[in-house]
Amino acid sequence: MGNLSIEDICRLAPVVPVLVIEDPDTAVPLAEALVAGGLRALEITLRTPAALGAIKAISNAVPDAVVGVGTLRSAGDVDDAVKAGARFAVSPGLSHAILNAAQAAALPMLPGVATPSEAMAAAERGFDLLKFFPAEANGGVSVLKAWASPLSGLEFCPTGGVTAENAIDYLSLPNVICVGGSWVAPHSAIQGRDWDRITELSREAWGLAGPRVAKAG
Ligand code: 3PG
């Protein structure tokens, strides 16, 4: 698979797993378990020392995974992530330094926004697909509904507090392209190496595509 745009990546599946990898040995089996269930775009957060190694290991060993870097907090992390094999990036907020670095590296990027002002600033830079973060704490579905008309043309990947139960409410919105969430890879399941459980959660999350397509059609 060649270079994908951020929209291509967000359309691979209804859910982008947000992954915190502590033990490097869990990276590849975790990615394989998620891909087996249908979720292919994987966000590896830069919250642990194992993160960059995990991006590299999954990129090399799991060809069906599209690996991204998450929790990007500094422009300096962009090059390291690209060198490790990251094919997209996600940031919790809007940083022009990070946007500059991502654009210079031609790295597809999902900037985080929590207000219309931030969404407009991102759009001015050419980013019209944005992470709404933290989604539930910022008003969730009702805020995205309120943004749909005044911020028409912008699409969102709500993340933060999205669950198996409420994901469909987000995915039914016309301005939501996918959601992000950690629920498909619970810490306890990773620690316990319960890969079957993670594949089951991934498959359930993939199944959210059905109602979304039906609703959109
Ligand atoms: C995060 O940055 O932690 C993500 O938004 C995931 O949030 P969640 O754990 O509520 O899914």
Side-chain angles (χ1 to χ4, degrees):
M1 198 187 297
N3 290 342
L4 298 172
S5 69
I6 194 67
E7 181 171 350
D8 295 334
I9 291 164
C10 286
R11 288 198 190 284
L12 287 172
V15 179
V16 177
V18 176
L19 305 174
V20 179
I21 296 178
E22 282 159 2
D23 177 349
D25 291 341
T26 61
V28 168
L30 170 60
E32 287 173 338
L34 289 162
V35 167
L39 302 185
R40 297 181 52 211
L42 311 179
E43 177 190 334
I44 314 292
T45 59
L46 284 184
R47 297 184 204 172
T48 62
L52 285 173
I55 291 170
K56 192 169 186 177
I58 297 168
S59 298
N60 289 334
V62 191
D64 286 340
V66 176
V67 188
V69 60
T71 320
L72 205 53
R73 300 265 312 275
S74 91
D77 290 330
V78 170
D79 282 343
D80 289 341
V82 170
K83 280 190 194 118
R87 296 171 66 184
F88 69 98
V90 185
S91 176
L94 187 69
S95 153
H96 288 288
I98 291 176
L99 295 186
N100 291 342
Q103 283 180 323
L107 182 65
M109 172 94 208
L110 197 57
V113 302
T115 66
S117 301
E118 292 162 358
M120 289 164 62
E124 282 170 4
R125 296 285 311 258
F127 294 85
D128 51 17
L129 177 48
L130 307 165
K131 165 172 165 162
F132 175 44
F133 179 79
E136 279 288 293
N138 277 311
V141 165
S142 58
V143 165
L144 288 167
K145 278 186 182 166
W147 285 4
S149 176
L151 298 178
S152 64
L154 299 186
E155 290 185 293
F156 298 92
C157 170
T159 305
V162 182
T163 64
E165 288 71 37
N166 67 15
I168 192 62
D169 298 334
Y170 285 101
L171 290 165
S172 301
L173 299 175
N175 56 348
V176 167
I177 190 165
C178 64
V179 299
S182 63
W183 88 87
V184 288
H187 183 254
S188 58
I190 300 174
Q191 290 287 101
R193 282 146 169 82
D194 190 350
W195 309 130
D196 289 346
R197 170 82 183 126
I198 289 173
T199 295
E200 186 185 318
L201 289 166
S202 173
R203 193 169 290 129
E204 285 168 11
W206 170 252
L208 293 166
R212 179 175 57 156
V213 170
K215 192 126 185 172

